[in-house]
Amino acid sequence: MRQRLTVLGSTGSIGKNTLDVAARHPERFEVYALSASTQVELLLAQCAQFKPRYAVMASPAHAAQLRQRMAAEGLATEVLSGPAALSEVSSLPEVDAVMAAIVGAAGLEPCLAAARAGKKLLLANKEALVVGGELFMQAVRQGGATLLPIDSEHSAIFQSLPEDASTWDLRVEKIILTASGGPFRSRDPLTLAKVTPDEACAHPNWVMGRKISVDSATMMNKALEVIEARYLFGLPPERIEVVIHPQSVLHSMVQYRDRSVVAQLGTPDMRVPIAYGLSWPQRIESGAEALDFARLSALTFEPADPARFPGLFLAWEALKAVPGTTAVLNAANEIAVAAFLDGRLRFDQIHQVNRATLEHYQPAAPHGLDDLLAIDARARALAAERVARCH
């Protein structure tokens, strides 16, 4: 039987790559629902190709535009809008798997809905775990969902760990996440104040959206991945490390108690972890090129420079603080990155906003989604105030 897929964020990089993999295996996958924020024309084209039952836009206005275009094209896809619709298409009984590729905290609620409904949840939205933390993992356990990481690093860790998760703590010494170092790995830290949005988004290895590209340039993406790894794999923060690997060939590794290291290698193509998640526990053709070891240059590794990447080290601080602090860090960073991309904040001030927000807001431990959303809203307000002061 074919798996019925909901793809949240289908017009983004992960969403488009997911549809590319699914299109290679029409006998395995049926696209049941798609969602987008504002890209009406692209979502229309995706609906014309895959003919899903539902399409969801973020706002009623964009939904009305899509509905009108659907009618003109003679497409039967039903158009919905808003957060409630995202949760609905993530938890429908007909849906087998959900690709969670909405960027930012906006993806938390539909991820929780999919988890509670016991879906196969393909998690590309790291913020769902960064914000949701243990509450998100409780929903996964209680709903009986299958949680599969799609970030290339976490997919690599998942592939390198023993199949029996109950043995991870006893057998594993540490997890080592690799980072490319982004476009400023060798740049003088004193020049980072002059970085433009276009420079920050020019990643040397990966093709990604603008927000995650900036996070890669500051290495805040790796900070969020450290937090995600802590909840995904259940190891304490002190047993999670980060090393810079500029070639982006070795995607992450696990060091065992006997000091042996198991790693996953591959070309820097997100279709590889996407195909693995879609087909798990099997493997299917992804469309990515194979590594050519005869032509592969040397693989190098180096430590992360705190002067160049101070944001990375906020991960361990947030994890050691009260529950909910990781949500504060994520919210502050979303506000800071948006301000940088809008030209309202210097590149080096992103970290200043993040640190100041963490220092000025110590949340009460959250007990549910409403508490998490309140923490997120308060942190965003404080970060926005800090951005305004940076002018």
Side-chain angles (χ1 to χ4, degrees):
M1 294 181 61
R2 294 196 299 170
Q3 291 185 60
R4 285 179 166 176
L5 302 177
T6 286
V7 182
L8 303 175
S10 65
T11 58
S13 176
I14 296 294
K16 289 187 286 188
N17 278 314
T18 299
L19 293 178
D20 179 89
V21 174
R24 296 171 186 274
H25 304 276
E27 75 288 355
R28 283 179 170 267
F29 306 111
E30 173 188 348
V31 177
Y32 198 74
L34 299 173
S35 87
S37 178
T38 61
Q39 296 193 59
V40 171
E41 291 301 319
L42 180 51
L43 187 56
L44 176 71
Q46 292 176 344
C47 289
Q49 179 179 357
F50 293 97
K51 297 179 172 54
R53 176 71 178 83
Y54 297 102
V56 182
M57 296 297 301
S59 72
H62 287 98
Q65 293 178 34
L66 180 61
R67 201 172 289 116
Q68 184 178 29
R69 297 286 285 114
M70 290 277 194
E73 297 291 334
L75 298 175
T77 298
E78 183 176 348
V79 179
L80 308 172
S81 67
L86 291 174
S87 294
E88 179 184 351
V89 299
S90 300
S91 56
L92 290 168
E94 299 89 344
V95 170
D96 300 302
V98 176
M99 172 59 76
I102 295 176
V103 175
L108 174 60
E109 194 165 352
C111 282
L112 281 170
R116 290 168 179 154
K119 303 302 181 186
K120 178 180 178 181
L121 180 54
L122 311 175
L123 191 66
N125 172 270
K126 64 174 66 69
E127 291 85 358
L129 264 175
V130 172
V131 176
E134 185 54 36
L135 290 174
F136 181 80
M137 295 305 297
Q138 285 178 9
V140 170
R141 291 190 293 266
Q142 291 169 1
T146 299
L147 183 62
L148 297 168
I150 299 301
D151 274 348
S152 61
E153 296 83 358
H154 299 87
S155 176
I157 295 297
F158 184 72
Q159 294 179 58
S160 301
L161 284 166
E163 289 188 10
D164 185 355
S166 67
T167 69
W168 290 353
D169 185 56
L170 291 175
R171 298 173 65 183
V172 172
E173 185 168 276
K174 62 182 177 181
I175 283 171
I176 305 169
L177 297 170
T178 57
S180 70
F184 309 132
R185 178 179 62 85
S186 58
R187 181 160 171 163
D188 183 350
L190 296 177
T191 69
L192 293 178
K194 299 179 181 179
V195 166
T196 67
D198 285 344
E199 287 175 325
C201 291
H203 196 282
N205 299 338
W206 297 93
V207 177
M208 305 180 292
R210 287 173 69 78
K211 194 270 181 183
I212 194 172
S213 294
V214 175
D215 283 347
S216 179
T218 62
M219 274 187 68
M220 180 53 66
N221 73 318
K222 208 56 52 177
L224 300 179
E225 287 171 13
V226 168
I227 297 167
E228 184 181 6
R230 187 264 174 272
Y231 290 112
L232 273 174
F233 307 119
L235 296 182
E238 58 269 20
R239 288 164 64 186
I240 303 171
E241 294 184 3
V242 172
V243 64
I244 290 182
H245 167 52
Q247 295 81 22
S248 295
V249 170
L250 193 157
H251 296 299
S252 279
M253 45 197 150
V254 174
Q255 181 171 302
Y256 285 84
R257 296 289 185 183
D258 61 2
R259 303 299 168 85
S260 63
V261 177
V262 177
Q264 185 261 340
L265 288 74
T267 52
D269 189 324
M270 283 306 299
R271 290 178 295 179
V272 175
I274 288 169
Y276 181 75
L278 284 172
S279 62
W280 182 88
Q282 302 173 354
R283 290 186 184 261
I284 59 174
E285 168 63 36
S286 67
E289 292 185 5
L291 281 177
D292 184 348
F293 285 94
R295 297 185 177 182
L296 194 62
S297 62
L299 304 184
T300 61
F301 303 89
E302 58 194 62
D305 180 4
R308 188 176 285 106
F309 304 117
L312 169 64
F313 302 91
L314 295 178
W316 288 273
E317 291 185 31
L319 283 169
K320 292 175 182 177
V322 298
T325 304
T326 56
V328 174
L329 176 59
N330 178 75
N333 184 63
E334 288 192 20
I335 292 296
V337 171
F340 167 69
L341 289 171
D342 288 344
R344 296 181 288 114
L345 196 69
R346 294 198 318 263
F347 180 81
D348 61 317
Q349 291 175 322
I350 294 173
H351 175 67
Q352 296 175 24
V353 170
N354 292 343
R355 173 162 284 289
T357 307
L358 281 178
E359 290 175 349
H360 287 85
Y361 182 31
Q362 297 181 354
H367 298 289
L369 177 60
D370 289 343
D371 292 342
L372 290 171
L373 295 178
I375 291 171
D376 179 79
R378 177 61 178 154
R380 287 172 187 275
L382 289 172
E385 291 176 6
R386 191 71 188 183
V387 167
R389 293 180 200 165
C390 288
H391 282 293

